[in-house]
């Protein structure tokens, strides 16, 4: 078998087009422009790239982008005061504080200071609780993107055996909640799972969110399984020249593509969907702030 490639880049581009059209409709019907505030503390190079991409794509979909860059010596109360101002600002519908934060800050208290209705990352404890109890929540972007791709590829997920490898608060756990909400039968595997290969082989849907390069080979997969590879790992690539590197997922793509029915590549799979879902959440937050119905097709 040679798997269908689930093209996250193309999917994300279509999603951004749909969001752009919905933003224009919201502007003409209600005079509303969704606004996303992104806060970056410090100079982490990877975070700077993410923040730049987020700002660019926000503007491209017709939303307002507000960037706040603070030095990494910023005292936590100063960051909390900025979040309070953004919470109170009616032009700001979504707030994202780029993680990781400098070591002197408590990420949980910072995230929990964001108004849950503006928490477009879905990390606030209230949104975690709402998702866990099956209520309307702001849903973390990466798992939301995975769910959208799964629905697009498989349609109804009800009754499918889904295995999520990884139990982090930002990917594994919310992914499992979303799959449960879609009536899949869900197993969460982690570093203490006794027989990971056998657990993976049961999966109609396998989500890999571990952070270990090419850890899951093709012979751990059920033939025909749908594989969503969240992992982003940088490995040496001497074949590209001395000191060069390349990105790979948590799944060994070449062997997995011989067994799976469908698979997301790395790069070009889950990654592009994450920012697109951030824009989707900002639009959803804007509609909810104005008591309008949720935008079509952007929520679980
Ligand atoms: P974490 O490090 O927070 O969690 C990793 C999870 O994997 C843990 O639950 C851990 O188990 C489990 N794990 C580690 N080793 C093994 C093993 N040998 N067997 C089984 N399970 C194992 O990572 P994140 O969830 O934050 O991220 C996971 C990956 O996804 C990373 O590569 C990250 O870069 C990527 N990522 C990609 C995004 C995207 O947009 N595409 C967004 C977010 C993350 P335990 O709890 O027992 O320690």
């Amino acid at each position: 078998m040679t798997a269908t490639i689930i093209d996250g880049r193309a999917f994300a581009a279509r999603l951004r087009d749909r969001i752009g059209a919905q933003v224009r409709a919201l502007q003409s019907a209600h005079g509303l422009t969704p606004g996303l505030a992104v806060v970056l503390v410090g100079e982490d190079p990877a975070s700077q790239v993410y923040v730049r991409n987020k700002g660019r794509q926000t503007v491209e979909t017709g939303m307002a982008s507000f960037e706040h860059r603070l030095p990494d010596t910023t005292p936590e109360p100063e960051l909390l005061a900025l979040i309070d101002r953004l919470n109170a600002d009616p032009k700001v519908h979504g707030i994202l504080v780029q993680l990781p934060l400098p070591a002197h800050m408590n990420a949980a208290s910072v995230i929990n200071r964001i108004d849950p209705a503006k928490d477009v990352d879905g990390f606030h404890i209230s949104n975690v609780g709402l998702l866990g109890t099956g209520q309307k929540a702001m849903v973390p972007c990466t798992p939301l993107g995975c769910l959208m791709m799964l629905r697009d590829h498989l349609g109804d997920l009800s009754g499918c055996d889904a295995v999520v490898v990884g139990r982090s608060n930002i990917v594994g756990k919310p992914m499992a909640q979303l799959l449960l909400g879609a009536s899949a039968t869900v197993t969460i595997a982690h570093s203490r799972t006794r027989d990971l290969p056998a657990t993976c082989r049961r999966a109609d849907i396998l989500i890999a969110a571990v952070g270990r390069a090419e850890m899951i080979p093709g012979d751990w997969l059920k033939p025909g399984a749908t594989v969503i590879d969240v992992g982003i790992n940088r490995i040496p690539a001497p074949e590209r020249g001395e000191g060069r590197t390349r990105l790979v997922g948590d799944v060994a793509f070449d062997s997995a593509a011989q067994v799976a029915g469908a698979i997301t590549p790395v790069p070009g799979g889950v990654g592009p969907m994450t920012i697109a879902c951030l824009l989707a959440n900002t639009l959803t937050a804007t509609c909810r702030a104005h008591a309008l119905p949720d935008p079509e097709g952007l929520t679980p």
Side-chain angles (χ1 to χ4, degrees):
M1 175 177 298
T2 305
T4 303
I5 307 299
I6 301 177
D7 183 344
R9 241 176 231 134
F11 195 104
R14 289 197 299 277
L15 184 59
R16 285 196 302 272
D17 285 348
R18 269 177 36 222
I19 293 169
Q22 286 170 294
V23 167
R24 287 191 293 280
L26 194 65
Q27 278 162 339
S28 60
H30 301 281
L32 286 171
T33 300
L36 172 64
V38 177
V39 181
L40 173 62
V41 187
E43 257 102 61
D44 179 62
S47 295
Q48 289 190 342
V49 175
Y50 293 141
V51 167
R52 208 166 36 243
N53 287 340
K54 284 168 185 169
R56 181 174 50 76
Q57 294 189 26
T58 304
V59 171
E60 278 170 9
T61 43
M63 303 192 196
S65 166
F66 309 99
E67 264 182 41
H68 296 268
R69 291 170 185 264
L70 306 177
D72 61 4
T73 50
T74 304
E76 188 173 310
E78 218 171 279
L79 174 59
L80 296 178
L82 169 61
I83 294 174
D84 290 344
R85 287 199 298 280
L86 296 173
N87 283 341
D89 185 343
K91 293 191 297 302
V92 173
H93 303 93
I95 302 170
L96 178 145
V97 176
Q98 184 67 46
L99 300 176
L101 286 169
H104 69 277
M105 290 190 178
N106 179 329
S109 0
V110 170
I111 298 303
N112 289 328
R113 188 71 161 233
I114 298 172
D115 176 349
K118 297 190 177 189
D119 168 39
V120 282
D121 249 346
F123 295 159
H124 190 289
I125 195 72
S126 299
N127 282 313
V128 175
L130 289 167
L131 179 63
T133 49
Q135 299 179 69
K136 219 182 209 188
M138 295 308 302
V139 175
C141 302
T142 300
L144 178 59
C146 296
L147 182 75
M148 285 183 185
M149 289 194 287
L150 283 170
R151 284 235 170 94
D152 182 67
H153 185 70
L154 292 172
D156 185 10
L157 308 183
S158 125
C160 288
D161 276 316
V163 173
V164 181
V165 190
R167 57 174 164 178
S168 72
N169 290 334
I170 64 165
V171 189
K173 283 182 199 154
M175 186 73 245
Q177 296 287 4
L178 287 173
L179 288 163
L180 206 52
S183 298
T185 302
V186 183
T187 302
I188 306 178
H190 45 77
S191 65
R192 306 290 179 90
T193 296
R194 283 220 180 98
D195 188 347
L196 189 59
T199 304
C200 291
R201 275 186 209 113
R202 287 207 310 267
D204 302 311
I205 295 169
L206 183 87
I207 313 279
V210 181
R212 287 179 186 257
E214 301 179 318
M215 186 188 93
I216 300 176
D219 65 0
W220 289 17
L221 301 177
K222 181 179 190 173
T226 302
V227 178
I228 305 287
D229 192 352
V230 182
I232 302 177
N233 310 287
R234 193 166 280 287
I235 60 165
E239 72 281 3
R240 294 184 178 183
E242 206 187 306
R244 300 293 297 272
T245 59
R246 66 188 175 99
L247 293 181
V248 296
D250 291 341
V251 176
F253 184 85
D254 290 342
S255 68
Q258 299 306 311
V259 184
I263 185 167
T264 58
V266 177
V270 175
M273 285 298 288
T274 298
I275 299 186
C277 286
L278 175 67
L279 305 176
N281 278 350
T282 304
L283 180 56
T284 300
T286 309
C287 292
R288 289 181 185 171
H290 294 273
L292 296 167
D294 278 355
E296 192 72 29
L298 302 184
T299 52

